[in-house]
């Protein structure tokens, strides 16, 4: 894209280092802090396990956790995924779990029904924690997460990931219609074409429309399932995929701006990373910027990145109340400096409230990978629909 755009700065993609982990990330659980008023660091907790909050657990739960980790983080599987994630995925879906099929057994069912662990131990192992409740998914989720977060070197795009799609605009902008939220896709049998329809404003009575030979529909099913398809009949599998595909719907990101990067000036400075962890409900991950380390001026902290049940519940809070909740948590963790240096500027992203998404990402239930994906490669009524994420 940089070659095509001939160095135009607005459309140039430059990669910069991303710091995923820091030994000085803070470990704030059960209100524990050091004498200096800050929580212990990840490095301190690692070197002194007594600083970690001990949670009583059945040893059997630990056995299950290790078993799931052995499947998800199996070196051979991870190497195969790193080499070609598509072939590794297909192999696991078809023959994984010792030939049982990776998409025929959910994580919960495999542990409880196949391996015969107790219901209680299985629940504690696969449904526990703030991000719990995913035991009904395929173990491929665990494999993918392990392979992804097993990386040792990270990079991101300078200026934000949006610069990647932006770089295509000079080449497709002239043939791209913006601001058209499609509501109907009708197959015209007489001309063997597809008519797409939308409204300029939601209060309009009349639809605007345009006719095409084919339509590749990549909008998420969370939106497509509300479309009308006049004179269009899809096969039952595709119809069910559109209607039934589950989506994780989260209000997951709150970014706060501070007048300085005070975290970089601690006695044990934090440079980048998402290593600060807490048990404050609904906060999830806390990430510090990896760009312009030790620079002067304001800095933005991703003060909350959460999913699971909390990601849904926080969408019900008024924006300012949610932001204040997150700010209070940052003050509790980092001290009064966070209150003093907060500029009042923030950004909250709730995908559930995004009119173009209504969701965050697809979370196929067990069997949906194996059943639905082949259907996405088919063309029906001149529509090719692949809108899962």
């Amino acid at each position: 894209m940089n070659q095509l755009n001939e160095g135009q700065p607005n459309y140039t993609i430059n990669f910069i280092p991303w710091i995923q982990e820091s030994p000085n990330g803070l470990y704030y659980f059960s209100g524990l802090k050091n004498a200096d008023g800050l929580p212990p660091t990840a490095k301190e907790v690692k070197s002194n396990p007594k600083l970690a909050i001990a949670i009583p657990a059945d040893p059997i739960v630990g056995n299950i956790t290790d078993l799931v980790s052995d499947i998800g983080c199996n070196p051979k599987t991870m190497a195969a995924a790193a080499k070609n994630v598509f072939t590794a995925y297909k192999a696991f879906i078809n023959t994984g779990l010792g030939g049982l099929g990776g998409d025929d057994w959910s994580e919960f069912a495999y542990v409880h029904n196949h391996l015969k662990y107790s219901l209680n131990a299985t629940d504690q192992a696969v449904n526990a924690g703030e991000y719990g409740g995913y035991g009904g998914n395929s173990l491929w989720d665990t494999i993918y997460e392990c392979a992804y977060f097993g990386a040792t070197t990270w990079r991101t795009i300078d200026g934000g990931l949006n610069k990647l799609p932006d770089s295509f605009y000079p080449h497709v902008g002239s043939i791209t219609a913006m601001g058209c939220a499609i509501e109907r896709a009708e197959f015209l049998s007489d001309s063997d074409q597809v008519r797409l329809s939308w409204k300029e404003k939601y209060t309009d009575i009349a639809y605007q429309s345009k006719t095409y030979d084919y339509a590749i529909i990549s909008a998420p099913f969370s939106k497509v399932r509300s479309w009308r398809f006049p004179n269009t009949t899809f096969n039952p599998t595709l119809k069910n995929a559109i209607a039934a595909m589950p989506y994780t719907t989260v209000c997951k990101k709150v970014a706060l701006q501070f007048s300085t990067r005070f975290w970089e000036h601690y006695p044990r400075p934090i440079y980048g990373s998402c290593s600060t962890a807490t048990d404050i409900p609904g906060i999830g991950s806390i990430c510090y910027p990896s760009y312009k380390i030790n620079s002067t001026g304001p800095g933005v902290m991703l003060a909350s990145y959460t999913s699971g049940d909390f990601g849904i519940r926080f969408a019900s809070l008024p924006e300012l109340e949610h932001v204040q909740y997150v700010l209070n948590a940052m003050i509790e963790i980092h001290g009064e400096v966070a209150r003093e240096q907060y500029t009042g500027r923030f950004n909250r992203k709730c995908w559930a409230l995004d009119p173009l998404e209504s969701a965050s990402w697809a979370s196929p239930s067990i069997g949906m990978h194996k059943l639905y994906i082949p259907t996405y490669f088919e063309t029906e009524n001149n529509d090719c629909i692949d809108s899962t994420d």
Side-chain angles (χ1 to χ4, degrees):
M1 295 310 299
N2 288 346
Q3 291 178 349
L4 290 174
N5 291 322
E6 298 179 337
Q8 297 180 66
N10 289 343
Y11 303 113
T12 297
I13 301 167
N14 293 316
F15 289 97
I16 60 174
W18 168 267
I19 304 171
Q20 179 66 18
E21 297 181 353
S22 167
N24 292 336
L26 304 176
Y27 178 88
Y28 183 67
F29 286 76
S30 296
L32 180 65
K33 288 194 174 184
N34 291 329
D36 63 1
L38 286 174
T41 65
K43 182 179 180 180
E44 289 174 324
V45 172
K46 185 177 182 179
S47 61
N48 182 7
K50 292 182 179 179
L51 293 174
I53 302 302
I55 302 174
D58 185 334
I60 299 298
V61 174
N63 293 344
I64 297 173
T65 302
D66 291 342
L67 183 149
V68 171
S69 180
D70 288 344
I71 296 173
C73 301
N74 179 283
K76 289 185 178 179
T77 306
M78 289 182 65
K83 184 177 181 180
N84 188 320
V85 69
F86 302 106
T87 56
Y89 165 81
K90 186 174 182 179
F92 181 78
I93 293 299
N94 291 336
T95 62
L97 301 179
L100 294 173
D103 202 36
D104 291 275
W105 291 81
S106 70
E107 187 172 330
F108 191 100
Y110 180 71
V111 172
H112 175 57
N113 297 328
H114 182 68
L115 300 179
K116 306 302 182 184
Y117 283 94
S118 73
L119 194 63
N120 189 41
T122 303
D123 179 66
Q124 291 182 49
V126 305
N127 282 331
E130 184 173 333
Y131 304 109
Y134 294 103
N137 292 352
S138 166
L139 275 154
W140 174 256
D141 287 10
T142 304
I143 295 171
Y144 181 84
E145 291 284 310
C146 193
Y148 182 83
F149 287 104
T152 55
T153 303
W154 299 72
R155 294 191 179 278
T156 189
I157 296 175
D158 191 11
L161 297 179
N162 59 293
K163 293 206 70 174
L164 179 58
D166 286 351
S167 69
F168 285 81
Y169 189 77
H171 313 285
V172 299
S174 62
I175 56 172
T176 301
M178 302 297 230
C180 301
I182 302 300
E183 296 183 27
R184 293 173 178 248
E186 180 179 5
F187 178 61
L188 305 175
S189 57
D190 292 344
S191 60
D192 195 31
Q193 291 180 306
V194 180
R195 179 162 59 209
L196 302 179
S197 302
W198 66 94
K199 291 182 178 180
E200 297 288 348
K201 300 189 297 291
Y202 71 90
T203 54
D204 288 351
I205 296 175
Y207 282 95
Q208 308 295 318
S209 64
K210 196 164 184 179
T211 301
Y212 300 91
D213 292 331
Y214 291 90
I216 298 176
I217 298 174
S218 60
F221 286 162
S222 53
K223 296 300 297 183
V224 174
R225 63 183 51 145
S226 67
W227 291 11
R228 302 287 186 88
F229 291 92
N231 304 317
T232 305
T233 302
F234 296 117
N235 79 71
T237 304
L238 180 57
K239 185 177 180 180
N240 215 37
I242 295 172
M245 174 65 69
Y247 278 77
T248 297
T249 304
V250 303
C251 189
K252 64 181 184 178
K253 294 180 181 179
V254 177
L256 305 176
Q257 186 189 62
F258 299 91
S259 56
T260 73
R261 298 170 175 237
F262 61 82
W263 51 89
E264 294 182 357
H265 304 290
Y266 285 151
R268 297 173 293 278
I270 303 172
Y271 298 124
S273 86
C274 298
S275 293
T276 290
T278 181
D279 60 355
I280 297 176
I283 294 301
S285 299
I286 300 167
C287 302
Y288 309 92
S290 294
Y291 64 94
K292 297 182 179 178
I293 298 294
N294 274 330
S295 61
T296 59
V300 175
M301 179 194 302
L302 181 56
S304 176
Y305 189 136
T306 190
S307 60
D309 187 74
F310 275 117
I312 301 172
R313 305 306 153 212
F314 275 106
S316 68
L317 286 182
E319 183 175 64
L320 292 178
E321 184 177 347
H322 186 189
V323 170
Q324 187 64 51
Y325 178 88
V326 173
L327 175 61
N328 290 345
M330 295 307 99
I331 295 168
E332 183 176 345
I333 296 169
H334 299 87
E336 285 298 312
V337 64
R339 188 193 311 276
E340 295 164 359
Q341 297 204 14
Y342 177 53
T343 66
R345 299 186 66 186
F346 65 85
N347 195 317
R348 180 178 87 147
K349 182 62 179 181
C350 286
W351 287 103
L353 305 179
D354 189 313
L356 302 180
E357 294 281 348
S358 298
S360 296
W361 59 80
S363 296
S365 296
I366 201 67
M368 289 185 173
H369 286 268
K370 194 173 183 178
L371 178 62
Y372 292 161
I373 285 182
T375 306
Y376 304 151
F377 290 90
E378 298 176 3
T379 300
E380 298 185 31
N381 304 293
N382 291 28
D383 291 324
C384 180
I385 302 181
D386 182 5
S387 346
T388 54
D389 201 357

